[in-house]
Amino acid sequence: MAQPGDDQKGNEGNDTQFGDYRCVFRPTDDALFIMMKNSKTKRTFENTFSKSTLLEMDLKQPIDKVVNLLLDAKSGKTEELSFKIGFGDAEGETKGSMNKSQQCQPEVSQQVSFDKLSKSYLKGSALYIFVNMDNNYFSAEYVFKLLEQERDDMDILRDIIADMQEEIDVLKRDKKRGIASWYTTHTGGGNIPMSAVRLASTLEGMVTLSQDTRTITVNIPGTYRLSLEVNFTSCTGAGHLIQIQLNGTQVGSKYGSNNGGFGYLSRILNLKKDDKIVFYTNHIYATNQYYSCFTVEKI
């Protein structure tokens, strides 16, 4: 994870992450509010930039466009944009007057040099965001100065408790078990379609079945047991094969259906979100809900 002062790709949105920092870029009443909050130390830096201040910074676009600029630069969508943060003197770099909420309405910060800033926090420092745009026909640098906010012990404790609760909720979600099962009436070869649901998923959103019913997509990562059982209604079988495939690669196989079917096959695997599960055969004979079963179980 990137440290302050480094470039770091992040997720899109008005409330996103950059290294150890939660970032908020939000239009308010004719102004732009920016907050950077360290998720480990709980230090918070913020400021509100009025339209007149943004104009002085040569940001003449509507405020929502400035928000998009910040988000795109932070996400690393293009090489033409970069997003960096550093720490410097809160008093000497820019001037501003304090309002009732102790927010500074900053003057233009373009004279601040990123090379002279620290990559790590020093007591009393301001946090500076540098957004650089550089292409064949245009170059610009925009500097946003954020001031550290005073926070009492109770504020910090509330943040710690909220973070712990979020971690607990994630663990609870990830530890939940679920199972879903189907059967087939398919004959022949290829990826086997799931003809009907035997047991609907007991964990909401665990997996999704494709429109052609041949591919199962994992939505919740975790440890899974994938299993199948295929026998035939009348034919004694032959030397065919059946497979469990993950993302196009065989992870389990069984050869020979000479005794009236393939019987049972299972594999336990750690699966990621968007993994694709397919049950494949080069041939199966007539089967139905009493003779076939395909199961995905989060354990």
Side-chain angles (χ1 to χ4, degrees), residues 204-250:
E204 184 178 359
M206 182 179 75
V207 294
T208 303
L209 187 63
S210 63
Q211 189 171 359
D212 66 1
T213 73
R214 296 173 188 268
T215 303
I216 300 164
T217 300
V218 175
N219 297 321
I220 300 177
T223 302
Y224 283 77
R225 179 185 290 112
L226 311 180
S227 64
L228 64 86
E229 184 172 2
V230 178
N231 294 304
F232 309 137
T233 56
S234 57
C235 182
T236 56
H240 300 299
L241 70 87
I242 197 164
Q243 295 178 341
I244 301 172
Q245 296 183 356
L246 179 65
N247 301 323
T249 301
Q250 168 193 324

Side-chain angles (χ1 to χ4, degrees), residues 10 16 21 23 46 67 71 73 82 94 119 149 154 158 174-175 186 190 206 221 244 254 258 261 269 277-278 283-284:
T16 60
Y21 283 82
C23 313
E46 60 185 54
V67 170
L71 290 170
S82 67
T94 58
K119 290 188 177 183
Q149 304 300 296
M154 285 302 297
R158 289 190 194 99
D174 291 345
K175 289 295 183 182
H186 175 73
M206 182 179 75
I244 301 172
K254 199 165 188 180
N258 306 75
L269 303 165
I277 303 162
V278 165
H283 191 84
I284 55 176

Side-chain angles (χ1 to χ4, degrees), residues 74-174:
K74 185 185 70 63
S75 68
K77 279 185 172 181
T78 171
E79 297 296 329
E80 295 178 353
L81 290 173
S82 67
F83 183 100
K84 298 184 288 187
I85 63 175
F87 299 91
D89 187 356
E91 301 296 331
E93 308 290 357
T94 58
K95 299 177 181 179
S97 58
M98 306 302 284
N99 62 20
K100 292 181 180 179
S101 64
Q102 298 299 299
Q103 293 293 98
C104 176
Q105 294 296 327
E107 293 182 359
V108 180
S109 308
Q110 307 298 86
Q111 71 271 24
V112 180
S113 171
F114 182 77
D115 293 337
K116 294 182 179 180
L117 297 181
S118 171
K119 290 188 177 183
S120 57
Y121 170 80
L122 300 172
K123 186 175 182 180
S125 295
L127 185 150
Y128 290 85
I129 297 173
F130 283 72
V131 173
N132 288 278
M133 182 184 297
D134 189 12
N135 55 40
N136 292 333
Y137 50 88
F138 183 76
S139 294
E141 181 179 78
Y142 305 105
V143 184
F144 301 86
K145 175 183 174 181
L146 310 184
L147 300 179
E148 184 175 5
Q149 304 300 296
E150 291 187 9
R151 310 187 72 223
D152 59 30
D153 292 342
M154 285 302 297
D155 289 333
I156 295 172
L157 182 59
R158 289 190 194 99
D159 273 349
I160 293 172
I161 292 172
D163 288 346
M164 291 176 64
Q165 185 60 53
E166 184 176 344
E167 291 177 6
I168 291 170
D169 291 343
V170 169
L171 287 171
K172 284 182 177 179
R173 183 196 66 200
D174 291 345

